[in-house]
Amino acid sequence: AVQIVTGIVLAMHYTPHADMAFDSVQRIMRDVNWGWLLRYLHMNGASFFFIAVYIHMFRGMYYGSYKKPRELLWMLGVLIFLLMMATAFMGYTLPWSQMGGWAATVITNLFSAIPVVGEPIVQLLWGGFSVDNPTLNRFFALHYLLPFVIFAVVFLHVWALHITGSNNPLGIEPKSKKDTLPFHPYYTAKDTFGLSVFMLVYVGVSFFAPNMFSHADHFVQFDPLKTPAHIVPEWYFLPFYAILRAITFDIGIPFTDIVIIPAKLGGVIAMFGAVVILFVLPFLDTHPVKSARFRPMYKFFLMLFVLSVLVLGYVGAQLPEGIWVILGQVTTAYYFAFFIVILPWLSKVEKALPTPTSIHKAVLGSKS
């Protein structure tokens, strides 16, 4: 809601034209009443939106919230994540800075790796033969539209939640009224406290460290004839950017010169595959016990997975050379191995700890 409200007001003062976009953002910062605050809230709001979603996704993976009967709930959540990434990427380019303009050039160029249809897709995204004014207009229109699509999918996400009910840290389905609590006052109080702490940090960063997540090249106008020394996406894209760069080799038939998947296409497949594989997570982990509290092996490998994502994020911010390339390839291999190899293996061999017979007995013990 904060993103939509601030975005609508910013759009009233923004000029989506390649010659005027950068200056219009500077005017918002300097001349529009409270424009600096609106922009900082909007800019940092994207980062905090992703922080909340990443925490939410980790919590869902830790407690097995993606498992039956909540597969649709999880898949709608991943769809929201994908839409968020598209929206944030397009918003990243709108100030028409060196970093934003060149990020648009690099990322849209990736589609050219797709055989046959790649070049037409790139030209459709660009609206021509290079990143220019038509590209900016397309991205502005889509950046304005997609948040409302996200809002609609959030409603579907909440609807799916109400159909199946919430999961819990024990991963046990409620069996009686003793296993549940009224939403008010218990959850309203808990969520209000959590939201208040979150908003305090969000507003604190927006006031006292608003450019903490920004690169210096964001403050230089886009010059298509001058490439930055290091093109870096926003921090929430860095793990996927590292996966893209980890594929530095062609895939072909051994002992021949026949290439089936060039390195560029392999990187694109790996980057998009890293997100798409989340959709099928409920079908890869078929262990009957949900919560990691009762699955020590799963907990260990999940913590390694989280570590690998953090390392990928750091690698994505470094120059693609030396040890960073090797480290990126190792962590990328583990990222996919976690889903494709480890989870199906654990589903067959892991012996879980004994689970409580009901939620109220686990919480209240013998008093229940």
Side-chain angles (χ1 to χ4, degrees), residues 147-157:
F148 297 98
V149 178
I150 292 172
F151 203 65
V153 181
V154 166
F155 269 104
L156 292 175
H157 191 58

Side-chain angles (χ1 to χ4, degrees), residues 299-321:
K299 184 191 294 187
F300 172 76
F301 286 112
L302 179 63
M303 293 302 117
L304 280 182
F305 173 77
V306 172
L307 180 63
S308 73
V309 172
L310 293 174
V311 171
L312 280 168
Y314 187 78
V315 169
Q318 310 304 314
L319 290 170
E321 57 189 24

Side-chain angles (χ1 to χ4, degrees), residues 150-214:
I150 292 172
F151 203 65
V153 181
V154 166
F155 269 104
L156 292 175
H157 191 58
V158 174
W159 164 78
L161 175 68
H162 280 278
I163 295 296
T164 59
S166 299
N167 189 28
N168 57 81
L170 295 173
I172 303 170
E173 297 300 319
K175 296 181 175 64
S176 66
K177 287 187 177 180
K178 288 183 178 181
D179 288 341
T180 60
L181 288 172
F183 190 84
H184 180 76
Y186 297 100
Y187 287 93
T188 48
K190 178 180 75 71
D191 290 349
T192 301
F193 175 76
L195 180 63
S196 300
V197 172
F198 184 84
M199 293 299 286
L200 279 172
V201 178
Y202 163 44
V203 173
V205 169
S206 298
F207 272 105
F208 300 110
N211 294 310
M212 183 171 70
F213 299 112
S214 296

Side-chain angles (χ1 to χ4, degrees), residues 2 5 9 19 35-36 57 92 99 107 114 154 187 217 224 269 287 302 311 317 329 358:
V2 170
V5 171
V9 180
D19 296 334
W36 61 272
M57 290 172 72
Y92 187 65
M99 191 56 69
I107 299 302
I114 303 172
V154 166
Y187 287 93
D217 282 331
I269 292 171
H287 198 282
L302 179 63
V311 171
Q329 290 172 339
S358 67

Side-chain angles (χ1 to χ4, degrees), residues 13 23 25 42 44 46 56 74 78 134 138 174 187 190 201-202 211 216 221 228 255 286 298 305 315 326 328 347:
H13 302 278
D23 289 337
V25 173
H42 192 74
N44 288 294
H56 188 56
W74 172 263
V78 176
R138 280 162 164 73
Y187 287 93
K190 178 180 75 71
V201 178
Y202 163 44
N211 294 310
Q221 188 167 0
F255 310 112
T286 55
Y298 171 74
F305 173 77
V315 169
I326 298 169
S347 299

Side-chain angles (χ1 to χ4, degrees), residues 17 39 68 72-73 82 117 142 163 165 179 186 198 215 217 221 224 242 254 257 264-265 283 298 343 367:
H17 190 283
R39 188 185 175 219
K68 189 178 179 179
L72 179 61
L73 178 67
L82 197 58
V117 297
L142 290 170
I163 295 296
D179 288 341
Y186 297 100
F198 184 84
H215 191 279
D217 282 331
Q221 188 167 0
D257 294 329
K264 184 178 179 181
L265 178 59
F283 312 104
Y298 171 74
L343 286 181
K367 294 179 182 179

